[in-house]
PDB file of all heavy atoms in Angstrom:
ATOM      1  N   GLU B 307     -17.273  10.834 -26.446  1.00  0.00           N
ATOM      2  CA  GLU B 307     -16.633  11.607 -25.283  1.00  0.00           C
ATOM      3  C   GLU B 307     -16.722  13.091 -25.571  1.00  0.00           C
ATOM      4  O   GLU B 307     -17.040  13.959 -24.662  1.00  0.00           O
ATOM      5  CB  GLU B 307     -15.267  11.045 -25.156  1.00  0.00           C
ATOM      6  CG  GLU B 307     -14.659  11.329 -23.802  1.00  0.00           C
ATOM      7  CD  GLU B 307     -15.386  10.478 -22.672  1.00  0.00           C
ATOM      8  OE1 GLU B 307     -15.901   9.549 -23.005  1.00  0.00           O
ATOM      9  OE2 GLU B 307     -15.236  10.932 -21.552  1.00  0.00           O
ATOM     10  N   ALA B 328     -22.182  26.789 -30.001  1.00  0.00           N
ATOM     11  CA  ALA B 328     -22.309  25.739 -31.106  1.00  0.00           C
ATOM     12  C   ALA B 328     -23.045  24.492 -30.582  1.00  0.00           C
ATOM     13  O   ALA B 328     -23.863  23.915 -31.251  1.00  0.00           O
ATOM     14  CB  ALA B 328     -20.935  25.393 -31.586  1.00  0.00           C
ATOM     15  N   ARG B 330     -25.205  24.475 -28.076  1.00  0.00           N
ATOM     16  CA  ARG B 330     -26.564  24.901 -27.844  1.00  0.00           C
ATOM     17  C   ARG B 330     -27.324  24.788 -29.214  1.00  0.00           C
ATOM     18  O   ARG B 330     -28.493  24.284 -29.248  1.00  0.00           O
ATOM     19  CB  ARG B 330     -26.696  26.316 -27.307  1.00  0.00           C
ATOM     20  CG  ARG B 330     -26.387  26.341 -25.803  1.00  0.00           C
ATOM     21  CD  ARG B 330     -26.776  27.695 -25.239  1.00  0.00           C
ATOM     22  NE  ARG B 330     -26.284  27.763 -23.878  1.00  0.00           N
ATOM     23  CZ  ARG B 330     -26.831  27.186 -22.792  1.00  0.00           C
ATOM     24  NH1 ARG B 330     -27.865  26.448 -22.979  1.00  0.00           N
ATOM     25  NH2 ARG B 330     -26.326  27.394 -21.647  1.00  0.00           N
ATOM     26  N   CYS B 336     -31.101  17.688 -31.779  1.00  0.00           N
ATOM     27  CA  CYS B 336     -30.556  16.432 -31.399  1.00  0.00           C
ATOM     28  C   CYS B 336     -31.258  15.855 -30.220  1.00  0.00           C
ATOM     29  O   CYS B 336     -30.877  16.310 -29.002  1.00  0.00           O
ATOM     30  CB  CYS B 336     -29.039  16.499 -31.173  1.00  0.00           C
ATOM     31  SG  CYS B 336     -28.304  14.857 -30.802  1.00  0.00           S
ATOM     32  N   ARG B 338     -30.925  13.101 -28.716  1.00  0.00           N
ATOM     33  CA  ARG B 338     -30.041  12.282 -27.769  1.00  0.00           C
ATOM     34  C   ARG B 338     -29.213  13.173 -26.872  1.00  0.00           C
ATOM     35  O   ARG B 338     -29.065  12.920 -25.679  1.00  0.00           O
ATOM     36  CB  ARG B 338     -29.145  11.358 -28.667  1.00  0.00           C
ATOM     37  CG  ARG B 338     -29.868  10.270 -29.356  1.00  0.00           C
ATOM     38  CD  ARG B 338     -28.908   9.551 -30.298  1.00  0.00           C
ATOM     39  NE  ARG B 338     -27.909   8.879 -29.529  1.00  0.00           N
ATOM     40  CZ  ARG B 338     -26.764   8.392 -30.129  1.00  0.00           C
ATOM     41  NH1 ARG B 338     -26.576   8.588 -31.407  1.00  0.00           N
ATOM     42  NH2 ARG B 338     -25.867   7.729 -29.425  1.00  0.00           N
ATOM     43  N   ARG B 376       1.322  20.819  17.781  1.00  0.00           N
ATOM     44  CA  ARG B 376       2.423  20.119  17.086  1.00  0.00           C
ATOM     45  C   ARG B 376       3.548  21.071  16.601  1.00  0.00           C
ATOM     46  O   ARG B 376       3.236  22.262  16.232  1.00  0.00           O
ATOM     47  CB  ARG B 376       1.782  19.482  15.778  1.00  0.00           C
ATOM     48  CG  ARG B 376       0.826  18.390  16.117  1.00  0.00           C
ATOM     49  CD  ARG B 376       1.492  16.990  16.263  1.00  0.00           C
ATOM     50  NE  ARG B 376       1.929  16.590  15.026  1.00  0.00           N
ATOM     51  CZ  ARG B 376       1.207  15.936  14.162  1.00  0.00           C
ATOM     52  NH1 ARG B 376      -0.024  15.574  14.397  1.00  0.00           N
ATOM     53  NH2 ARG B 376       1.793  15.474  12.937  1.00  0.00           N
ATOM     54  N   MET B 390      32.882  16.898   5.026  1.00  0.00           N
ATOM     55  CA  MET B 390      33.327  16.054   6.196  1.00  0.00           C
ATOM     56  C   MET B 390      33.473  14.507   5.997  1.00  0.00           C
ATOM     57  O   MET B 390      34.411  14.019   6.440  1.00  0.00           O
ATOM     58  CB  MET B 390      32.383  16.372   7.406  1.00  0.00           C
ATOM     59  CG  MET B 390      32.582  17.767   7.950  1.00  0.00           C
ATOM     60  SD  MET B 390      34.374  18.093   8.412  1.00  0.00           S
ATOM     61  CE  MET B 390      34.579  17.037   9.818  1.00  0.00           C
ATOM     62  N   LEU B 392      34.303  12.991   3.352  1.00  0.00           N
ATOM     63  CA  LEU B 392      35.516  12.745   2.624  1.00  0.00           C
ATOM     64  C   LEU B 392      36.735  12.881   3.571  1.00  0.00           C
ATOM     65  O   LEU B 392      37.691  12.067   3.476  1.00  0.00           O
ATOM     66  CB  LEU B 392      35.714  13.704   1.442  1.00  0.00           C
ATOM     67  CG  LEU B 392      34.691  13.453   0.297  1.00  0.00           C
ATOM     68  CD1 LEU B 392      34.880  14.513  -0.772  1.00  0.00           C
ATOM     69  CD2 LEU B 392      34.924  12.107  -0.296  1.00  0.00           C
ATOM     70  N   LEU B 402      44.946   2.576   2.196  1.00  0.00           N
ATOM     71  CA  LEU B 402      44.846   1.726   0.955  1.00  0.00           C
ATOM     72  C   LEU B 402      45.956   1.960  -0.011  1.00  0.00           C
ATOM     73  O   LEU B 402      46.531   0.960  -0.553  1.00  0.00           O
ATOM     74  CB  LEU B 402      43.457   2.089   0.337  1.00  0.00           C
ATOM     75  CG  LEU B 402      42.947   1.083  -0.737  1.00  0.00           C
ATOM     76  CD1 LEU B 402      42.616  -0.304  -0.105  1.00  0.00           C
ATOM     77  CD2 LEU B 402      41.652   1.627  -1.429  1.00  0.00           C
ATOM     78  N   LEU B 413      55.570  -7.411  -5.117  1.00  0.00           N
ATOM     79  CA  LEU B 413      55.391  -8.166  -6.483  1.00  0.00           C
ATOM     80  C   LEU B 413      56.632  -7.919  -7.244  1.00  0.00           C
ATOM     81  O   LEU B 413      57.114  -8.908  -8.011  1.00  0.00           O
ATOM     82  CB  LEU B 413      54.168  -7.595  -7.188  1.00  0.00           C
ATOM     83  CG  LEU B 413      52.839  -8.049  -6.734  1.00  0.00           C
ATOM     84  CD1 LEU B 413      51.690  -7.297  -7.475  1.00  0.00           C
ATOM     85  CD2 LEU B 413      52.637  -9.621  -7.028  1.00  0.00           C
ATOM     86  N   PRO B 417      60.879 -13.357  -8.001  1.00  0.00           N
ATOM     87  CA  PRO B 417      61.855 -13.785  -8.894  1.00  0.00           C
ATOM     88  C   PRO B 417      61.277 -13.891 -10.333  1.00  0.00           C
ATOM     89  O   PRO B 417      61.958 -13.680 -11.347  1.00  0.00           O
ATOM     90  CB  PRO B 417      62.349 -15.127  -8.426  1.00  0.00           C
ATOM     91  CG  PRO B 417      61.431 -15.498  -7.399  1.00  0.00           C
ATOM     92  CD  PRO B 417      60.744 -14.302  -6.866  1.00  0.00           C
ATOM     93  N   GLU B 424      57.204  -9.146 -19.506  1.00  0.00           N
ATOM     94  CA  GLU B 424      57.113  -9.248 -20.969  1.00  0.00           C
ATOM     95  C   GLU B 424      55.674  -9.213 -21.486  1.00  0.00           C
ATOM     96  O   GLU B 424      55.404  -8.995 -22.604  1.00  0.00           O
ATOM     97  CB  GLU B 424      57.768 -10.528 -21.464  1.00  0.00           C
ATOM     98  CG  GLU B 424      59.314 -10.539 -21.232  1.00  0.00           C
ATOM     99  CD  GLU B 424      60.007 -11.840 -21.460  1.00  0.00           C
ATOM    100  OE1 GLU B 424      59.314 -12.684 -22.095  1.00  0.00           O
ATOM    101  OE2 GLU B 424      61.189 -11.960 -21.168  1.00  0.00           O
ATOM    102  N   GLN B 429      52.891  -4.868 -18.578  1.00  0.00           N
ATOM    103  CA  GLN B 429      53.630  -3.613 -18.949  1.00  0.00           C
ATOM    104  C   GLN B 429      52.740  -2.436 -18.718  1.00  0.00           C
ATOM    105  O   GLN B 429      53.193  -1.322 -18.228  1.00  0.00           O
ATOM    106  CB  GLN B 429      54.091  -3.634 -20.380  1.00  0.00           C
ATOM    107  CG  GLN B 429      55.308  -4.512 -20.529  1.00  0.00           C
ATOM    108  CD  GLN B 429      55.562  -4.776 -22.035  1.00  0.00           C
ATOM    109  OE1 GLN B 429      55.038  -4.199 -22.940  1.00  0.00           O
ATOM    110  NE2 GLN B 429      56.630  -5.705 -22.292  1.00  0.00           N
ATOM    111  N   VAL B 440      45.258  -6.912  -7.681  1.00  0.00           N
ATOM    112  CA  VAL B 440      45.356  -8.013  -6.649  1.00  0.00           C
ATOM    113  C   VAL B 440      44.358  -7.655  -5.531  1.00  0.00           C
ATOM    114  O   VAL B 440      43.553  -8.515  -5.096  1.00  0.00           O
ATOM    115  CB  VAL B 440      46.721  -8.335  -6.249  1.00  0.00           C
ATOM    116  CG1 VAL B 440      46.679  -9.214  -4.914  1.00  0.00           C
ATOM    117  CG2 VAL B 440      47.484  -8.911  -7.374  1.00  0.00           C
ATOM    118  N   ALA B 443      40.815  -7.936  -6.521  1.00  0.00           N
ATOM    119  CA  ALA B 443      40.330  -9.279  -6.586  1.00  0.00           C
ATOM    120  C   ALA B 443      40.098  -9.837  -5.224  1.00  0.00           C
ATOM    121  O   ALA B 443      39.087 -10.567  -4.959  1.00  0.00           O
ATOM    122  CB  ALA B 443      41.373 -10.130  -7.323  1.00  0.00           C
ATOM    123  N   LEU B 444      40.978  -9.481  -4.295  1.00  0.00           N
ATOM    124  CA  LEU B 444      40.874  -9.977  -2.897  1.00  0.00           C
ATOM    125  C   LEU B 444      39.548  -9.466  -2.280  1.00  0.00           C
ATOM    126  O   LEU B 444      38.865 -10.155  -1.595  1.00  0.00           O
ATOM    127  CB  LEU B 444      42.067  -9.600  -2.038  1.00  0.00           C
ATOM    128  CG  LEU B 444      43.336 -10.375  -2.367  1.00  0.00           C
ATOM    129  CD1 LEU B 444      44.506  -9.840  -1.552  1.00  0.00           C
ATOM    130  CD2 LEU B 444      43.193 -11.910  -1.988  1.00  0.00           C
ATOM    131  N   GLY B 445      39.290  -8.194  -2.499  1.00  0.00           N
ATOM    132  CA  GLY B 445      38.094  -7.541  -2.039  1.00  0.00           C
ATOM    133  C   GLY B 445      36.840  -8.205  -2.599  1.00  0.00           C
ATOM    134  O   GLY B 445      35.875  -8.481  -1.888  1.00  0.00           O
ATOM    135  N   LEU B 450      32.227 -11.984  -1.795  1.00  0.00           N
ATOM    136  CA  LEU B 450      31.532 -13.257  -2.226  1.00  0.00           C
ATOM    137  C   LEU B 450      31.441 -14.198  -1.040  1.00  0.00           C
ATOM    138  O   LEU B 450      30.443 -14.816  -0.757  1.00  0.00           O
ATOM    139  CB  LEU B 450      32.309 -14.027  -3.333  1.00  0.00           C
ATOM    140  CG  LEU B 450      32.041 -13.471  -4.710  1.00  0.00           C
ATOM    141  CD1 LEU B 450      32.903 -14.212  -5.748  1.00  0.00           C
ATOM    142  CD2 LEU B 450      30.553 -13.597  -5.164  1.00  0.00           C
ATOM    143  N   PRO B 454      26.567 -14.729   1.513  1.00  0.00           N
ATOM    144  CA  PRO B 454      25.561 -15.612   2.125  1.00  0.00           C
ATOM    145  C   PRO B 454      25.168 -15.164   3.556  1.00  0.00           C
ATOM    146  O   PRO B 454      23.939 -15.080   3.871  1.00  0.00           O
ATOM    147  CB  PRO B 454      26.158 -17.019   2.239  1.00  0.00           C
ATOM    148  CG  PRO B 454      27.248 -16.976   1.281  1.00  0.00           C
ATOM    149  CD  PRO B 454      27.755 -15.594   1.178  1.00  0.00           C
TER     150      PRO B 454
END
Side-chain angles (χ1 to χ4, degrees):
Chain B
E307 202 67 23
R330 284 193 189 284
C336 181
R338 290 174 66 195
R376 293 274 291 273
M390 285 310 288
L392 289 178
L402 194 66
L413 281 174
E424 292 171 10
Q429 285 172 4
V440 167
L444 285 173
L450 280 176

